[in-house]
């Protein structure tokens, strides 16, 4: 009962918070995250009333399955942006920008933190520097997608942004695996080529293969039904199934076989939207079904944020340096590569700002980094600090960038007048 009560309270508080923040014109994502902080372990959770907020991080972690499923649907939606007709126009640009901005962000963070390491070697070690540089590649697809949906963003920047965010996950996995392998080598003194090179390539290949197979099977099964309602049910069930299969984890000899749920579900969406003639309608119906799921996902994400990291000044200093130089790397990396691929001037100026949000993938990386022992604790806390700042500020910056680029159109006078007349008509009917 307490779990169900926590879920309902989380969703209700999140929705009410969007109303409270409406006069400030903040994105709904930000409102959901703040709602999560309020009902999290550091605010309402301290009251210790069962169901009314989350009293501990273990209580938040108990709802981890909801987050996994939500991320699966987010990745599935982003995968639908990889339609072949669109990729013919933007595929080369998205690939170049996606790789370059991730690598430049890593380079900027590595250099900045290495200088910090030279200044305070007792606080920041070289393995920590290398690992944090790799984590800097990750961009949160969830926040970006929610902002795009809320404001119905449409245009050249949006068309390029979503494929780049999807590609960012694959690039991040490779960079992190290589960097993490080097960090482990520095600590242990032994080189492991399998974990540095083979395992990340196997994970990406297995993820793409599983997603492609599931996408083909889903398309064949959709043909068995004539009702769009049943087809939607089949689509939802298949995303659930795909998320569960992507949790498989085993070894074949020395090689570790694992899957990235984001990559698997992105590939599922990509194959489905390219070979199923009904995919466009079904994707639209699925988006409406998943709206409360996404809202709940961000409220839970807000409750997961560790406010306690502000208590350690060393973490705050390293975290600020990390945030500044990752932001600079993302911006200048995307600016230079967009310029080189002859993108529109608005894309060059504003794309980097939309790539700042960071959450799920980065948290997954820092969980892996805990294998470094004591070094892993600092990496985790700095990543949590950065996620806290990026998740609260990132969606707002993304919205501003999309508005400045012209992908979010201001409400026309005609639409405003129509809404005003509807409200007046409703009031008059109520008075009667």
């Amino acid at each position: 009962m307490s779990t169900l009560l926590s879920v309902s309270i989380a969703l209700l508080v999140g929705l009410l918070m969007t109303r409270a923040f409406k006069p400030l014109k903040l994105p709904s994502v930000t409102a959901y995250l703040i709602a999560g902080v309020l009902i999290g372990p550091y605010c309402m959770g301290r009251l210790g009333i069962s169901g009314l907020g989350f009293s501990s991080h273990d209580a938040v972690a108990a709802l981890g399955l909801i987050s996994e499923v939500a991320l699966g649907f987010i990745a599935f939606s982003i995968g639908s942006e990889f339609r072949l007709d669109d990729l013919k126009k933007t595929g080369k640009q998205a690939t170049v920008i996606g790789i370059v901005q991730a690598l430049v962000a890593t380079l900027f963070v590595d250099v900045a933190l290495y200088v910090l390491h030279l200044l305070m070697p007792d606080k920041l070690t070289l393995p920590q520097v290398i690992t944090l540089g790799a984590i800097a590649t990750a961009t949160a697809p969830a926040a970006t997608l929610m902002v795009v949906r809320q404001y119905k963003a449409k245009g050249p920047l949006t068309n390029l942004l979503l494929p780049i965010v999807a590609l960012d996950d694959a690039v991040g996995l490779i960079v992190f695996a290589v960097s993490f392998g080097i960090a482990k080598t520095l600590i242990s003194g032994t080189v492991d080529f399998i974990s540095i090179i083979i395992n990340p390539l196997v994970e990406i290949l297995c993820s793409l293969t599983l997603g492609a197979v599931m996408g083909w099977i889903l398309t064949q099964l959709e043909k068995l039904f004539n009702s769009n309602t049943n087809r939607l049910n089949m689509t939802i069930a298949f995303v659930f199934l795909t998320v569960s299969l992507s949790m498989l984890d085993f070894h074949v000899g020395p090689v570790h076989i694992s899957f990235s749920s984001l990559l698997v579900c992105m590939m599922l969406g990509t194959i489905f939207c390219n070979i199923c003639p009904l995919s466009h309608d079904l994707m639209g119906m699925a988006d409406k079904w998943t709206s409360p799921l996404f809202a709940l996902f961000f409220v839970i994400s807000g409750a997961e944020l560790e406010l306690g990291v502000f208590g350690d000044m060393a973490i705050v200093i390293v975290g600020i340096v990390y945030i500044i130089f990752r932001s600079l790397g993302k911006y200048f990396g995307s600016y230079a590569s967009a310029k080189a691929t002859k993108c529109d001037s608005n894309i060059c100026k504003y794309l980097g700002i939309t790539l700042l949000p960071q959450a799920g993938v980065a948290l997954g990386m820092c969980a892996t980094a805990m294998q470094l022992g004591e070094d892993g604790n600092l990496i985790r806390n700095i990543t949590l600090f950065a996620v806290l700042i990026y998740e609260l500020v990132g969606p707002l910056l993304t919205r501003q960038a999309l508005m400045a680029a012209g992908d979010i159109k201001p409400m026309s006078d005609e639409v405003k007048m129509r809404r005003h007349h509807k409200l007046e008509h409703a009031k008059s009917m109520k008075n009667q």
Side-chain angles (χ1 to χ4, degrees), residues 18 155 211 235 277 337 429:
T18 61
T235 304
S337 52
M429 291 292 289

Side-chain angles (χ1 to χ4, degrees), residues 131-144:
T131 306
L132 284 167
I135 292 174
T137 58
T139 296
T144 304

Side-chain angles (χ1 to χ4, degrees), residues 386-399:
V387 166
L388 174 62
I389 303 301
Y390 277 128
E391 282 297 271
L392 294 177
V393 178
L396 179 60
L397 293 176
T398 299
R399 187 200 69 175

Side-chain angles (χ1 to χ4, degrees), residues 270-331:
T270 299
I271 297 299
F272 179 63
C273 75
N274 278 290
I275 67 175
C276 179
L278 300 168
S279 62
H280 192 274
D281 291 339
L282 291 173
M283 284 287 189
M285 294 166 67
D287 288 347
K288 294 176 182 177
W289 181 87
T290 54
S291 179
L293 183 64
F294 289 176
L296 192 57
F297 166 75
F298 283 106
V299 175
I300 293 171
S301 297
E304 287 176 331
L305 295 177
E306 288 266 12
L307 302 186
V309 296
F310 287 110
D312 190 331
M313 189 50 63
I315 290 173
V316 172
I317 292 171
V318 178
I320 290 172
V321 172
Y322 172 89
I323 290 169
I324 291 172
F325 282 89
R326 176 184 177 270
S327 302
L328 291 173
K330 287 284 182 182
Y331 183 82

Side-chain angles (χ1 to χ4, degrees), residues 424-432:
E424 290 298 320
H425 178 68
K427 286 179 182 178
S428 63
M429 291 292 289
K430 186 177 180 181
N431 292 332
Q432 290 176 7

